Amino acid sequence: MADSPDTPDNRAAGRPLQVETHGLDVIADAERKGTPRNLFWPWFGANVSILGLSYGAFALGFRISFWQALTAGVIGIVFSFLLCGFIAVAGRRGSAPTMVLSRAAYGVRGNRLPSVISWVLTVGWETVLCALATMATATVFGRLGWGGGTGTQVVALIVVGALTVIGGVMGFDLIMRLQTVITVVTGVLTVVYIVLVADHIHWSTVSALPAGSAQEFIGALVFMMTGFGLGWVNAAADYSRYLPRSSSNRGVIGWTTFGASVAPLLLLVFGLLLAGSSTKLDTAVAADPIGALTTILPTWFLVPFAVVAVLGLVGGAVLDIYSSGLALLSAGIRIPRHLAALVDGVLMIAGSVYIVFFSDNFLGQFMGFLTTLGVPIAAWCGIMLADLALRRRDYDEADLYRPAGRYGDVPPAPLLLTLAATALGWGLVTNSAASWLSWQGYLLEPFGLGGKSGAWAYANLGVLAALALAFLGTLALGRARVHAQEAEAPSQATGEEVPIA
């Protein structure tokens, strides 16, 4: 990767940290370095969060058995991160941020619609992670008798918010160094946590959990997809763009998928065993997903647990705030990248204040957020994947910034397909725990799926339907457009961002 400090050459050189100057521009060939295996570090560091344990309780909340939850988790995690791996290939082929490469499918200004959706999703995720880190810190301090009230929460929020914002503002260099440290520290401490609480697992209780219906299994599967890979697809090329053009596609896909999946898979298994062994813990996780995990820890490990919890969540939040800044720029805001990250940081802290101090139903709102934005992101992902599959050449980098170029300005087909797929998807999902989303599910009755209270109400088929419709629709409608684009002679690439009028 370009100037990647986790490579031996850069570590030896000890190059000082600087604020990244790259925004939406293409990474020049001279700055592209590294190999696909370097992608392991940012993806592992962003997904090694102790929150992965809580997903065990989330999955069992669909009233399914251990084996059903495990199967849903494995398929949902690996498949969704495999989608990230495919999108990451676009970064290698175009060397620009994900939401700039998306212009090849949506047009230069037409791409502002998915850019706004991507921005909302990443800001939402960084807000959730910041809030969880704050609540976990307060819970640990409360158990230690050091005070876990409002004062502790305020200080924790300031510290977590500052770490996240600094990482986002500094950019790629600091993020790569930070993720390497987070990977090592959280990896070791998570193993210690697992050893300490292993005696709380009761296999007889776990294995006795009754099996759920096919609809409940699908609901858990979709939730895993939206909670993991589908929450990252819109940022998947932001790091692979620093790789040399000669990098292997298989390597990019494999290291992205492996790096992102391995920690969540291991954490999910243990989380399922813990939640399945204790109804009390299972219920507590819904209110405080990280803090609840401290209730079964010895007191002496509470501080190390707070470290691993905060670092893991910050690792994910830093990647989110970096990508949310890029998405904001791609949506048409004309400010430097580091200021865009700072703006998102302010919104993140404001949202975290609401979750920590005013919200009384975290899990319901969280699931509603994931499912609601998971639908349009799945539609975008389907279009992006199909567009990428249709292309035989690398992107014409200069035309990614020119409305009059080969990719067009506002082509109607992809926008209409996105709206249609989103309308279909929202009609097939429900979010009863979030009252502001009660309007969803309007197609369940017309499609003969039992309405909003039927067996299919919580299967969240809309996410899968949006992904499939957008993908197949683009394959059918986009072939001629892509062929015409690639038939044009290459334009002169400048290696710099071309302003959009």
Side-chain angles (χ1 to χ4, degrees):
M1 288 187 174
D3 301 326
S4 175
D6 62 325
T7 62
D9 290 343
N10 284 320
R11 283 199 299 265
R15 188 171 61 81
L17 286 172
Q18 297 177 343
V19 175
E20 182 186 358
T21 57
H22 288 300
L24 299 186
D25 50 311
V26 170
I27 305 302
D29 286 341
E31 296 185 72
R32 299 188 184 110
K33 297 178 182 178
T35 64
R37 68 166 51 94
N38 295 130
L39 293 173
F40 174 85
W41 298 107
W43 286 108
F44 186 91
N47 290 285
V48 72
S49 167
I50 205 80
L51 179 62
L53 291 171
S54 300
Y55 272 88
F58 298 160
L60 293 178
F62 284 86
R63 296 179 297 180
I64 54 180
S65 69
F66 168 81
W67 292 111
Q68 285 179 310
L70 179 61
T71 303
V74 170
I75 296 174
I77 291 170
V78 174
F79 176 70
S80 62
F81 280 125
L82 184 61
L83 299 181
C84 290
F86 289 135
I87 299 293
V89 171
R92 196 276 303 166
R93 295 177 65 176
S95 303
T98 313
M99 298 314 297
V100 170
L101 299 170
S102 176
R103 293 173 178 176
Y106 280 89
V108 175
R109 272 191 272 250
N111 189 62
R112 289 179 178 177
L113 172 63
S115 293
V116 170
I117 296 171
S118 173
W119 176 72
V120 174
L121 178 64
T122 46
V123 170
W125 260 114
E126 66 205 40
T127 300
V128 166
L129 296 176
C130 181
L132 286 176
T134 301
M135 291 189 292
T137 303
T139 300
V140 168
F141 274 55
R143 279 205 61 196
L144 289 170
W146 297 350
T150 302
T152 301
Q153 292 174 327
V154 169
V155 173
L157 179 56
I158 292 173
V159 173
V160 171
L163 288 173
T164 304
V165 172
I166 290 172
V169 169
M170 291 296 292
F172 183 82
D173 248 16
L174 179 59
I175 288 173
M176 292 301 293
R177 299 189 192 194
L178 182 64
Q179 295 300 72
T180 304
V181 173
I182 287 175
T183 295
V184 175
V185 175
T186 55
V188 171
L189 292 180
T190 299
V191 171
V192 175
Y193 175 88
I194 290 174
V195 171
L196 290 175
V197 301
D199 60 345
H200 288 269
I201 294 175
H202 307 290
W203 176 245
S204 58
T205 304
V206 175
S207 60
L209 292 173
S213 65
Q215 294 91 334
E216 290 166 331
F217 171 81
I218 294 173
L221 170 63
V222 174
F223 179 73
M224 288 294 173
M225 289 177 59
T226 57
F228 287 99
L230 279 181
W232 287 109
V233 287
N234 53 311
D238 291 352
Y239 304 93
S240 56
R241 67 183 174 135
Y242 282 87
L243 290 175
R245 296 180 189 276
S246 59
S247 299
S248 162
N249 286 344
R250 284 188 180 181
V252 171
I253 295 170
W255 283 106
T256 297
T257 306
F258 175 68
S261 298
V262 61
L265 287 173
L266 295 174
L267 291 169
L268 173 69
V269 172
F270 201 75
L272 286 171
L273 292 172
L274 284 176
S277 300
S278 170
T279 303
K280 181 179 179 181
L281 178 63
D282 191 13
T283 303
V285 165
D288 186 358
I290 305 297
L293 299 173
T294 67
T295 59
I296 54 177
L297 276 175
T299 303
W300 68 266
F301 192 71
L302 288 177
V303 172
F305 175 85
V307 172
V308 68
V310 171
L311 280 180
L313 294 168
V314 167
V318 166
L319 260 67
D320 276 319
I321 198 171
Y322 179 76
S323 293
S324 69
L326 294 174
L328 184 61
L329 298 181
S330 185
I333 304 299
R334 290 172 173 253
I335 55 177
R337 184 207 59 79
H338 62 278
L339 289 183
L342 185 60
V343 169
D344 291 348
V346 172
L347 294 174
M348 173 193 73
I349 293 174
S352 298
V353 168
Y354 170 75
I355 293 176
V356 173
F357 298 105
F358 301 102
S359 177
D360 58 356
N361 181 17
F362 169 80
L363 183 57
Q365 305 297 331
F366 179 54
M367 293 180 70
F369 162 74
L370 286 182
T371 305
T372 300
L373 288 184
V375 168
I377 284 295
W380 171 86
C381 182
I383 289 176
M384 187 69 176
L385 288 171
D387 182 82
L388 185 63
L390 290 171
R391 296 189 182 278
R392 297 295 175 262
R393 298 182 180 179
D394 289 349
Y395 296 97
D396 188 285
E397 295 165 355
D399 276 355
L400 288 171
Y401 303 92
R402 289 197 284 252
R406 74 191 63 211
Y407 301 122
D409 192 9
V410 188
L415 292 171
L416 292 174
L417 186 56
T418 300
L419 294 175
T422 300
L424 172 65
W426 281 342
L428 295 175
V429 299
T430 57
N431 287 287
S432 61
S435 58
W436 53 284
L437 297 173
S438 60
W439 53 272
Q440 295 176 346
Y442 46 80
L443 293 178
L444 290 169
E445 187 69 40
F447 283 13
L449 297 174
K452 296 183 181 181
S453 59
W456 289 98
Y458 300 102
N460 290 327
L461 290 175
V463 175
L464 299 177
L467 178 66
L469 175 60
F471 181 78
L472 296 175
T474 302
L475 286 181
L477 302 175
R479 190 177 303 274
R481 179 170 177 261
V482 171
H483 180 74
Q485 291 172 355
E486 297 193 331
E488 294 186 29
S491 60
Q492 183 177 0
T494 64
E496 298 179 356
E497 181 182 348
V498 179
I500 299 174

